[in-house]
Amino acid sequence: MAKNNTITFFDLTMATGATTSPFVWSTKFALKHKGFDLDVVPGGFTGILERTCGVTERLPAIVDEGTWVLDSWGIVEYLDKTYPDRPMLLADPGMVPLIRAVDAWFWRVAVGPWMRCFCADYRDLCFEEDKEYVTHSREIMVGMKLEDKQAGREDRLPLISAEIEPLRITLRESSWLGGNEPSYADYRIIGPFLFLASVAKIPPLAEDDPLRDWIERCRDLFGGLGRHPGLFPLYGLPRREGDPELFAPPGQGGIHKRNTGPQSTRAETERITDGMKK
Amino acid sequence: MAKNNTITFFDLTMATGATTSPFVWSTKFALKHKGFDLDVVPGGFTGILERTCGVTERLPAIVDEGTWVLDSWGIVEYLDKTYPDRPMLLADPGMVPLIRAVDAWFWRVAVGPWMRCFCADYRDLCFEEDKEYVTHSREIMVGMKLEDKQAGREDRLPLISAEIEPLRITLRESSWLGGNEPSYADYRIIGPFLFLASVAKIPPLAEDDPLRDWIERCRDLFGGLGRHPGLFPLYGLPRREGDPELFAPPGQGGIHKRNTGPQSTRAETERITDGMKK
């Protein structure tokens, strides 16, 4: 399989040439993790069915020596099953439901809301031939004009940033979502951040967001796969008066801190028993 | 180690005898998963430091043949490291950050909010000798009288139920959070549901919540470890006029449905291109 180590990969990009779909991004990382070179078929939203010979209306899709494989999860399963001698994307089947849970959460609180913050920019950045389809389909999805949906995003971006704190808590004790090494967990979540970078005409994250370290390390993987001149800066969201903290101040631990004995809990005990008779 | 296969386990219960702490619940399941019998030291919040010979102010804590082990994560790591020949709680180290992420999310959107919905019930249900400490410490934590914090929970419970949809999405395609078999992922999340059952004087989940199947299967594990006469019913939350859907209606798929070719995406394509020139 995979003649000359190469797999055909159908890209989905903006007019800038930057990949936009979160799922297509995740899949690109997954293929590189398995060590493949990509024969990239470029393109936007229009004509996917034609480009893929009628095989699919949606991307990602790959062709490995004549075998078509669809769907981001379908491709990951195919790659680990067909190439178990190459680095595994999912070292244990017990990781699958957990990645699904993190992914479902992240779409709910971040990816969906970010899409609504940048839906008009997204339309403006796509290929000329895609604009009618993108405008029409996204206006049905969001239920109004894209400009109206996008409006007021300055008030919403700080809330989204605060809401993704669980990712920051996770990456306090681990270099990667995969543990000591990146796994498909990392690729599944960096995909949406790179989608965001493909459309974010104003920065969605704080300059000093603790996630920046992990995001930039992900982008550096595979010779800078997550870097493209068409991507916008992610950092620089200001915190205005009345905004929530964009991320939890360092030093907070609470329930996510380890109990190593009375010295580790004494300060909290003092705080919550303050004034009680000893 | 573990003479007669028994480990000493410090419980933390309500006056009903039902374990309450989410972390203590998760640890109890973890010990049973490893096949141990428990020598249970009962008790409430008062006197933990004395019961544990000055070793800790917080539970869970275990003693395995003279070796004290603290902290829910610390205990899991100890058990898998010391007893690798017994069923693993974490089959791969890459599962740890993912469980932490799911856990951090779940505390943020559900466990913390549920605690605030039942904080006065919690105080009323604890041992007489614990009431002063629980009232004082929790009023400092929530910043007001427990009755005032709990008030209005009828309006908040439906929102919490809607917010935990990512768990339902995950369990649509998997029997357990651990995949084909329960892992520490399941125990980590069932713990908070059993905390909830230890204090919930009104039901927090809908009668027909799709999570019910997984929750009840978890409770049945290890001879009904998650069943205790002191636990309250979890199901029966009504949906009042104006409440959001308590869970997503079946059949919704969206981004969490697989693309298996044009026939699987055609209906959505028709919907979002409705009225466009073909």
Side-chain angles (χ1 to χ4, degrees), chain A residues 87-107:
Chain A
M88 293 298 278
L89 288 157
L90 298 164
D92 186 273
M95 295 167 74
V96 175
L98 294 170
I99 298 176
R100 284 188 176 281
V102 174
D103 186 53
W105 157 69
F106 197 61
W107 272 82

Side-chain angles (χ1 to χ4, degrees), chain A residues 126-185:
Chain A
C126 72
F127 290 107
E128 213 48 54
E129 59 177 2
D130 288 343
K131 286 191 177 161
E132 185 190 348
Y133 164 74
V134 167
T135 306
H136 189 94
S137 60
R138 273 52 182 178
E139 289 188 349
I140 288 179
M141 286 180 189
V142 305
M144 63 180 76
K145 289 271 167 214
L146 298 182
E147 291 75 6
D148 295 341
K149 195 72 194 180
Q150 183 170 294
R153 63 187 177 183
E154 295 78 4
D155 299 328
R156 301 196 300 274
L157 288 170
L159 304 172
I160 305 172
S161 178
E163 206 57 41
I164 61 176
E165 194 62 24
L167 270 191
R168 299 187 190 101
I169 291 168
T170 304
L171 290 163
R172 263 186 227 155
E173 293 207 16
S174 185
S175 298
W176 302 98
L177 298 179
N180 293 326
E181 302 289 337
S183 79
Y184 188 60

Side-chain angles (χ1 to χ4, degrees), chain B residues 57-244:
Chain B
E57 297 185 311
R58 302 277 187 281
L59 298 177
I62 62 168
V63 192
D64 180 10
E65 278 292 293
T67 301
W68 284 85
V69 191
L70 306 184
D71 190 86
S72 55
W73 279 106
I75 292 170
V76 167
E77 289 163 3
Y78 169 84
L79 291 172
D80 271 352
K81 197 174 160 191
T82 313
Y83 302 101
D85 48 332
R86 294 178 178 231
M88 294 298 278
L89 289 156
L90 298 164
D92 186 274
M95 294 167 74
V96 175
L98 293 169
I99 298 176
R100 284 187 176 281
V102 175
D103 186 53
W105 157 69
F106 197 61
W107 272 83
R108 182 181 183 94
V109 305
V111 191
W114 278 329
M115 285 183 165
R116 296 186 281 276
C117 286
F118 295 102
C119 55
D121 288 348
Y122 177 76
R123 187 263 325 280
D124 295 343
L125 286 160
C126 71
F127 289 107
E128 214 46 56
E129 58 177 2
D130 288 342
K131 287 189 176 161
E132 186 190 348
Y133 164 74
V134 167
T135 307
H136 190 94
S137 60
R138 272 51 182 178
E139 289 189 347
I140 288 180
M141 286 179 189
V142 305
M144 64 180 76
K145 289 271 166 214
L146 297 182
E147 290 76 7
D148 295 341
K149 194 72 195 180
Q150 183 170 293
R153 62 188 176 182
E154 295 79 5
D155 299 327
R156 301 196 300 274
L157 288 170
L159 304 172
I160 304 172
S161 177
E163 205 57 42
I164 61 176
E165 193 63 22
L167 270 191
R168 300 188 189 99
I169 291 168
T170 304
L171 290 162
R172 264 187 226 155
E173 293 207 17
S174 184
S175 299
W176 303 98
L177 297 180
N180 293 327
E181 301 289 338
S183 79
Y184 188 61
D186 294 273
Y187 311 144
R188 188 73 187 182
I189 303 299
I190 196 64
F193 281 105
L194 292 171
F195 148 75
L196 187 59
S198 78
V199 295
K201 288 199 176 176
I202 64 170
L205 299 173
E207 195 66 35
D208 50 349
D209 192 311
L211 284 174
R212 185 171 183 158
D213 172 62
W214 170 80
I215 292 172
E216 296 305 309
R217 281 187 290 112
C218 285
R219 297 179 71 175
D220 283 339
L221 291 170
F222 314 119
L225 184 65
R227 307 207 174 276
H228 185 283
L231 297 174
F232 294 91
L234 287 171
Y235 318 103
L237 178 68
R239 183 176 175 216
R240 307 162 311 169
E241 201 164 322
D243 283 341

Side-chain angles (χ1 to χ4, degrees), chain A residues 238-260:
Chain A
R239 184 176 174 215
R240 307 161 311 169
E241 200 162 324
D243 283 340
E245 299 269 14
L246 302 179
F247 52 85
Q252 283 199 343
I255 57 153
H256 303 296
K257 244 175 62 185
R258 291 213 176 199
N259 171 25
T260 54

Side-chain angles (χ1 to χ4, degrees), chain A residues 5-277:
Chain A
N5 198 46
T6 298
I7 284 181
T8 304
F9 176 80
F10 291 83
D11 210 348
L12 182 58
T13 76
M14 302 270 95
T16 59
T19 299
T20 187
S21 154
F23 302 126
V24 172
W25 267 119
S26 301
T27 303
K28 212 170 183 177
F29 276 82
L31 286 160
K32 293 310 247 179
H33 180 96
K34 297 298 280 192
F36 290 109
D37 296 319
L38 305 186
D39 177 20
V40 177
V41 181
F45 293 94
T46 307
I48 293 175
L49 194 62
E50 292 73 20
R51 287 207 297 284
T52 60
C53 315
V55 169
T56 180
E57 297 184 311
R58 301 278 188 280
L59 299 177
I62 62 169
V63 192
D64 181 11
E65 279 293 292
T67 302
W68 283 86
V69 191
L70 305 184
D71 190 86
S72 56
W73 279 106
I75 293 170
V76 167
E77 289 163 3
Y78 170 84
L79 291 173
D80 271 352
K81 198 175 158 188
T82 312
Y83 302 101
D85 48 332
R86 295 179 178 232
M88 293 298 278
L89 288 157
L90 298 164
D92 186 273
M95 295 167 74
V96 175
L98 294 170
I99 298 176
R100 284 188 176 281
V102 174
D103 186 53
W105 157 69
F106 197 61
W107 272 82
R108 182 180 182 95
V109 305
V111 190
W114 278 329
M115 285 184 165
R116 296 187 281 276
C117 286
F118 295 103
C119 55
D121 288 348
Y122 178 75
R123 187 262 325 280
D124 295 342
L125 286 160
C126 72
F127 290 107
E128 213 48 54
E129 59 177 2
D130 288 343
K131 286 191 177 161
E132 185 190 348
Y133 164 74
V134 167
T135 306
H136 189 94
S137 60
R138 273 52 182 178
E139 289 188 349
I140 288 179
M141 286 180 189
V142 305
M144 63 180 76
K145 289 271 167 214
L146 298 182
E147 291 75 6
D148 295 341
K149 195 72 194 180
Q150 183 170 294
R153 63 187 177 183
E154 295 78 4
D155 299 328
R156 301 196 300 274
L157 288 170
L159 304 172
I160 305 172
S161 178
E163 206 57 41
I164 61 176
E165 194 62 24
L167 270 191
R168 299 187 190 101
I169 291 168
T170 304
L171 290 163
R172 263 186 227 155
E173 293 207 16
S174 185
S175 298
W176 302 98
L177 298 179
N180 293 326
E181 302 289 337
S183 79
Y184 188 60
D186 294 273
Y187 311 144
R188 189 73 187 181
I189 302 300
I190 197 63
F193 281 105
L194 291 171
F195 149 74
L196 186 59
S198 77
V199 295
K201 288 199 176 176
I202 65 170
L205 299 174
E207 194 66 37
D208 51 348
D209 192 311
L211 284 174
R212 184 171 183 159
D213 171 62
W214 171 79
I215 292 172
E216 296 305 309
R217 282 187 290 112
C218 286
R219 296 179 71 174
D220 283 339
L221 290 170
F222 314 119
L225 185 64
R227 306 207 173 276
H228 185 283
L231 297 174
F232 294 92
L234 287 171
Y235 318 102
L237 177 68
R239 184 176 174 215
R240 307 161 311 169
E241 200 162 324
D243 283 340
E245 299 269 14
L246 302 179
F247 52 85
Q252 283 199 343
I255 57 153
H256 303 296
K257 244 175 62 185
R258 291 213 176 199
N259 171 25
T260 54
Q263 79 293 346
S264 72
T265 53
R266 179 61 58 190
E268 193 201 38
T269 301
E270 292 288 340
R271 187 178 70 82
I272 64 179
T273 57
D274 177 47
M276 270 182 80
K277 65 176 189 292

